[in-house]
Amino acid sequence: MGQDYYAILTLTRSASDADVKKAYRKLSLKFHPDKNQEPFAPEKFRQIAEAYDVLSDPRKRAVYDQFGEEGLKNGVPSGSGESGAWTEGYTFHGDAQKVFRDFFGGDNPFSEFFDGIDGDLSMGFGGLRGRGRKKKDPPIERDLVLSLEEVFHGCIKKMKISRRVMNEDGHTSSIRDKILTIHVKKGWREGTRITFPEEGDQGPNNIPADIVFIVRDKPHPRFKREGNNLVFTARVLLGKALTGCNVEVPTLDGRLLNIPINDIIMPGYRKVVPCEGMPLSRDPQERGDLLIQFDIEFPKQLTPEKKLMIKQALL
């Protein structure tokens, strides 16, 4: 005698599609092998999945209702049955976990139905002990790498994400792409966090995670950022370090600064050029400073005459 899919899901043949979904939801949670340790649970879980796979599909269910399990699995002879009935033999793929994942959504959908503190089952309407509230998934953090030019001028970044969204039936889900638009403000500092509330994967019993982008500085060929200040390293010859020089600094907005250095450049010396740094995010009209540090280039060798002149001048 063939399997009675209706009996497996504790349904009658007049059950609606909603009844089938409700029965599968209840029984799949009850007999899931991760929570039910009875030796018969894995096989029962597989039978429940197969029954749902058949009864949730109108064409499979129509063949099963008219010809039973044998007709469903061996195929209906051509020309028999109602118009549109499936005439190919049906074989359950055997992956009960896939049926479960497709129904609830997510890579680990079963965890949504258990309390994280003591493992109590939560079935909605208060659950056991009244703790059936939805839980919010932890934030998903991603780096937002920006060049100094992008932060200096401000820009718009469009970030494509792929996320699981619930279908209209409220039980199944699918993967869809979405574009998140970030309006980068002038002067955003490294570590600034931009949050898109509840844009993570959806599920029937979870609150989607927030997606958080964290600003990271892209390495720059000329500058390093220290807070709101810009640091520029100038290479100068030892003689100019002692006697003075001019340093040219190309800025982020396309200007060329010519900075006179009249001090003796000693190790650790920095020239401060006010208001030539990064804009302040709270008030882009204000700016940090430009800090010029120096890499002093020593001569590889000196003639005796030059050594004597240096001794006479410095010693």
Side-chain angles (χ1 to χ4, degrees):
M1 184 175 179
Q3 295 187 84
D4 187 339
Y5 292 134
Y6 290 99
I8 291 173
L9 294 183
T10 65
L11 296 170
T12 65
R13 288 182 173 267
S14 62
S16 66
D17 184 60
D19 293 332
V20 173
K21 288 184 170 64
K22 183 178 180 180
Y24 175 75
R25 174 189 290 270
K26 178 181 177 180
L27 294 173
S28 64
L29 290 170
K30 180 179 179 180
F31 290 102
H32 195 290
D34 287 351
K35 291 298 177 180
N36 191 320
Q37 303 303 314
E38 295 292 341
F40 60 81
E43 177 59 22
K44 183 68 174 177
F45 183 65
R46 191 201 66 78
Q47 292 175 358
I48 292 167
E50 181 175 344
Y52 175 74
D53 191 50
V54 172
L55 298 184
S56 63
D57 185 302
R59 300 186 69 178
K60 295 176 191 173
R61 183 174 177 177
V63 174
Y64 175 73
D65 285 348
Q66 185 170 359
F67 298 100
E69 183 188 15
E70 183 177 357
L72 175 69
K73 293 188 174 181
N74 293 333
V76 178
S78 178
S80 64
E82 297 178 2
S83 176
W86 192 10
T87 59
E88 296 181 0
Y90 164 75
T91 301
F92 179 55
H93 52 69
D95 191 347
Q97 294 285 3
K98 181 180 184 303
V99 176
F100 189 79
R101 287 194 303 269
D102 290 346
F103 183 88
F104 289 111
D107 292 332
N108 187 19
F110 195 58
S111 64
E112 298 171 357
F113 296 89
F114 284 85
D115 190 283
I117 299 174
D118 53 17
D120 281 349
L121 185 61
S122 169
M123 293 292 291
F125 304 103
L128 299 183
R129 301 186 188 177
R131 287 201 301 274
R133 64 187 181 277
K134 290 185 177 182
K135 293 183 179 180
K136 186 167 185 175
D137 292 338
I140 300 170
E141 297 184 349
R142 296 288 184 267
D143 287 345
L144 176 63
V145 180
L146 300 173
S147 69
L148 290 183
E149 285 84 359
E150 289 174 324
V151 179
F152 185 90
H153 295 287
C155 64
I156 295 177
K157 304 290 283 188
K158 294 185 180 294
M159 313 298 291
K160 180 180 178 181
I161 63 169
S162 296
R163 61 176 189 153
R164 185 179 296 276
V165 298
M166 296 301 299
N167 296 326
E168 293 181 0
D169 61 14
H171 300 292
T172 60
S173 61
S174 56
I175 301 298
R176 298 179 189 173
D177 293 337
K178 184 173 183 178
I179 302 297
L180 301 179
T181 301
I182 301 174
H183 295 269
V184 177
K185 295 182 179 179
K186 294 181 179 181
W188 268 358
R189 301 176 75 166
E190 188 168 39
T192 297
R193 300 169 70 89
I194 306 97
T195 301
F196 290 86
E198 300 182 10
E199 289 288 359
D201 288 341
Q202 298 176 0
N205 288 275
N206 74 308
I207 300 174
D210 295 342
I211 295 183
V212 182
F213 292 95
I214 303 174
V215 172
R216 303 296 182 198
D217 284 344
K218 182 179 180 179
H220 195 273
R222 296 193 306 276
F223 297 106
K224 287 183 63 177
R225 180 153 64 145
E226 290 184 358
N228 296 317
N229 299 327
L230 287 175
V231 179
F232 177 82
T233 300
R235 296 195 61 178
V236 298
L237 297 172
L238 175 61
K240 291 185 176 182
L242 297 173
T243 60
C245 61
N246 282 26
V247 174
E248 291 186 342
V249 182
T251 66
L252 294 175
D253 55 358
R255 294 174 295 127
L256 183 65
L257 302 179
N258 195 306
I259 309 299
I261 308 296
N262 298 317
D263 299 325
I264 294 176
I265 302 173
M266 296 179 289
Y269 172 80
R270 282 183 167 186
K271 176 70 173 180
V272 179
V273 183
C275 301
E276 288 291 351
M278 297 294 290
L280 276 59
S281 58
R282 58 178 172 79
D283 183 1
Q285 299 302 317
E286 296 185 26
R287 291 172 59 177
D289 298 331
L290 170 64
L291 309 178
I292 304 176
Q293 62 186 17
F294 297 89
D295 181 9
I296 301 173
E297 187 174 346
F298 283 74
K300 295 182 180 179
Q301 60 183 11
L302 291 172
T303 64
E305 292 78 8
K306 289 182 178 180
K307 289 181 181 180
L308 179 60
M309 292 175 63
I310 293 173
K311 286 180 180 180
Q312 292 173 342
L314 300 179
L315 301 178

